[in-house]
Amino acid sequence: MGIKRGVFVILGLLMMANLAMAADGDDEKILTKTVKGKKLCTQGWECRVWSTYCCNETISKVFQVYQFEDLFSKRNTPVAKAVGFWDYQSFIIATTLFQHLGFGTTGGKLMQMKEIAAFLGHVGAKTSCGYGVATGGPLAWGLCYNREMSPMQSYCDDYYKLTYPCSPGADYYGRGALPIYWNYNYGAAGDALKVNLLEHPEYIEQNATLAFQAAIWRWMTPIKKSQPSAHDVFVGNWKPTKNDTLSKRTPGFGATMNLLYGDSICGKGDIDEMNVIISHYQYYLDLLGVSREQAGPHEMLTCAEQEPFNPPTPAVPAQSSS
């Protein structure tokens, strides 16, 4: 019953949001109140929790369906691997869990557009099947995939068997808009979204709204409590410590790559994998009419020289039995 109830909750939210979009159109009334001298707002179904961020324009007002189609123009071509899966409405519905927390609603319209472009830049780069001389250019093929096509393993880590035990028959290969791997990541995302992803990781590749929710949750959530989230380092909520400065970690898009991917692409110099993500961000800014110059100087864009926020734990040498 718990599994079915979780699925029905998702479907119910989708239906409610669909009805709200159809009935209310573009005109959502902003309700305001003041609490301890602080202005709080709600804004219809899209930003329905009292928050300072809900006093700003909602995402659907600054980022519209035609812009989504421009960014992901090749996602439903016959050669794509997730035809008919990804759509604008699923993205907007997914954002309603996070708009009151500042996702896409922080600052004025410029910052809002920049964050949407930055987040979707990561998404586009990680789900692209546009290589080389692909029609429309390699940057036009974001959201081509919704899952890893040829997984080499089940991604079950028994180290987490007490907290996030692997479910019999479940495979934890990459799925989603920012692909999730490993049982512990599915477990943590499932806890946050109140969906049993540990037993049913396949839900991510069956529901586009859930796939976007998991990706936005990753963007908004620090890996460790003492660290910022990708959202924080991008919108200016994070102030680097002296150690961060010595480690060449600075606020901006580069630090989002550091937090999301760590030493797999950061601190390795000017490598192609990092540059592909940067290129998607800049390309999306251009398509949104923001201009890539707004991305900031090179040191904000790159993580080529940054030390990772979360360096890999060195292996402990086996002790001799002699």
Side-chain angles (χ1 to χ4, degrees):
M1 287 298 291
I3 295 171
K4 289 183 179 180
R5 186 159 51 242
V7 176
F8 290 147
V9 167
I10 293 170
L11 294 176
L13 287 172
L14 290 172
M15 293 173 63
M16 289 170 61
N18 290 344
L19 291 171
M21 292 177 82
D24 294 335
D26 292 330
D27 297 321
E28 291 286 3
K29 185 177 180 181
I30 301 177
L31 302 178
T32 65
K33 67 179 180 180
T34 301
V35 178
K36 296 181 179 179
K38 191 175 185 180
K39 182 181 178 183
L40 304 178
C41 303
T42 62
Q43 206 170 151
W45 67 273
E46 196 173 346
C47 204
R48 58 187 180 271
V49 178
W50 289 101
S51 164
T52 57
Y53 299 111
C54 291
C55 299
N56 299 328
E57 289 190 285
T58 58
I59 291 179
S60 68
K61 291 178 180 176
V62 299
F63 178 65
Q64 299 177 8
V65 62
Y66 77 91
Q67 294 169 309
F68 182 91
E69 296 297 330
D70 285 345
L71 266 56
F72 304 110
S73 60
K74 300 293 185 181
R75 73 186 190 282
N76 288 325
T77 57
V79 297
K81 307 300 181 182
V83 174
F85 183 77
W86 303 105
D87 60 85
Y88 171 81
Q89 187 164 292
S90 295
F91 172 67
I92 296 297
I93 295 169
T95 69
T96 63
L97 290 184
F98 303 95
Q99 289 195 43
H100 69 281
L101 300 174
F103 176 73
T105 52
T106 296
K109 184 176 180 180
L110 176 60
M111 177 55 76
Q112 292 180 260
M113 295 294 280
K114 286 173 63 177
E115 183 177 14
I116 292 167
F119 170 76
L120 292 178
H122 283 282
V123 169
K126 291 298 178 180
T127 59
S128 175
C129 59
Y131 310 111
V133 292
T135 304
L139 302 179
W141 288 82
L143 295 181
C144 175
Y145 295 103
N146 66 353
R147 54 161 290 180
E148 183 180 3
M149 299 305 296
S150 301
M152 301 298 291
Q153 58 175 305
S154 63
Y155 297 99
C156 174
D157 188 343
D158 275 339
Y159 179 81
Y160 295 88
K161 62 185 177 183
L162 296 180
T163 50
Y164 295 121
C166 299
S167 183
D171 291 321
Y172 301 98
Y173 56 76
R175 298 177 176 91
L178 287 179
I180 302 175
Y181 295 83
W182 299 102
N183 50 305
Y184 49 88
N185 287 322
Y186 276 91
D191 286 348
L193 300 174
K194 297 180 172 54
V195 179
N196 190 354
L197 295 180
L198 200 59
E199 289 188 20
H200 293 279
E202 72 276 7
Y203 286 170
I204 294 289
E205 62 183 281
Q206 294 172 352
N207 186 297
T209 295
L210 184 59
F212 276 128
Q213 285 174 341
I216 301 170
W217 169 78
R218 187 178 173 196
W219 176 264
M220 297 293 293
T221 306
I223 294 176
K224 298 178 180 178
K225 290 183 178 179
S226 60
Q227 293 179 354
S229 64
H231 165 79
D232 289 330
V233 300
F234 188 81
V235 302
N237 291 342
W238 171 65
K239 303 302 179 187
T241 65
K242 183 178 180 180
N243 183 59
D244 289 316
T245 302
L246 291 173
S247 300
K248 299 184 179 180
R249 295 190 290 259
T250 59
F253 187 76
T256 70
M257 293 189 286
N258 193 327
L259 287 162
L260 293 175
Y261 318 120
D263 69 331
S264 65
I265 67 169
C266 295
K268 295 187 172 183
D270 201 32
I271 62 172
D272 288 344
E273 188 176 0
M274 179 193 71
N275 287 329
V276 164
I277 301 171
I278 295 172
S279 294
H280 275 81
Y281 171 43
Q282 293 175 316
Y283 178 65
Y284 290 176
L285 284 175
D286 285 342
L287 288 180
L288 294 177
V290 175
S291 169
R292 64 181 59 202
E293 282 70 29
Q294 294 291 343
H298 182 71
E299 59 267 21
M300 292 181 65
L301 275 172
T302 181
C303 65
E305 305 301 327
Q306 292 185 15
E307 294 181 23
F309 280 93
N310 296 292
T313 304
V316 178
Q319 292 186 351
S320 172
S321 59
S322 59

